[in-house]
Amino acid sequence: MNEPIQVDLSALRARLILRRRELLDLAASSADSRKPVELDQTRVGRLSRMDALQSQAMSLEAERRRKAELQRIEASLKRIESGDYGYCVTCGERIPLRRLELDPTLPTCVGCAGKAGGD
């Protein structure tokens, strides 16, 4: 792209790898909460089943969000390796350092994020 971005890529890379590990550990530890809810009426009352279904739905949504964040992390790590990290994937302009410090997985500058409906 243009001149190299003035950011500590090794620190951001380490931060991304640490977050990836946290997400994978969390996914593994919460696997039971995403299992199908048993519908045996002799063991669980109707309200308990409703609570279990709601808890399962919340766990499934949390897992969906974890997977989306993991995808953003992997894409960011690939951009670091290719030398494209820190530049907007839409317009190619440099992403402000403060924006990357807040969320190192952001692929777009503020302008392009606003046009696309935001990050």
Side-chain angles (χ1 to χ4, degrees), residues 37-49:
V37 175
E38 206 173 297
L39 295 178
D40 183 359
Q41 292 187 8
T42 61
R43 293 183 52 199
V44 180
R46 188 174 69 119
L47 292 178
S48 295
R49 275 196 321 278

Side-chain angles (χ1 to χ4, degrees), residues 11-115:
L12 284 176
R13 184 176 186 278
R15 184 173 156 196
L16 289 166
I17 290 170
L18 177 64
R19 181 63 180 152
R20 178 176 61 188
R21 171 61 24 219
E22 290 170 352
L23 290 170
L24 292 172
D25 289 347
L26 187 57
S29 69
S30 65
D32 284 345
S33 64
R34 294 185 307 276
K35 289 183 178 178
V37 175
E38 206 173 297
L39 295 178
D40 183 359
Q41 292 187 8
T42 61
R43 293 183 52 199
V44 180
R46 188 174 69 119
L47 292 178
S48 295
R49 275 196 321 278
M50 289 173 59
D51 287 342
L53 287 169
Q54 182 179 17
S55 177
Q56 178 198 35
M58 291 179 357
S59 294
L60 289 170
E61 176 59 19
E63 179 65 10
R64 185 195 65 76
R65 289 178 186 203
R66 272 192 296 275
K67 285 181 179 180
E69 186 175 355
L70 283 168
Q71 288 175 337
R72 290 191 309 271
I73 289 170
E74 292 302 327
S76 296
L77 290 170
K78 286 179 183 176
R79 286 194 307 278
I80 288 173
E81 295 304 317
S82 70
D84 293 331
Y85 184 81
Y87 295 95
C88 179
V89 297
T90 303
C91 71
E93 291 297 316
R94 194 178 275 186
I95 299 172
L97 179 58
R98 182 73 181 131
R99 183 167 169 79
L100 292 174
E101 288 171 345
L102 289 173
D103 184 350
T105 66
L106 293 175
T108 57
C109 67
V110 175
C112 290
K115 292 176 192 171

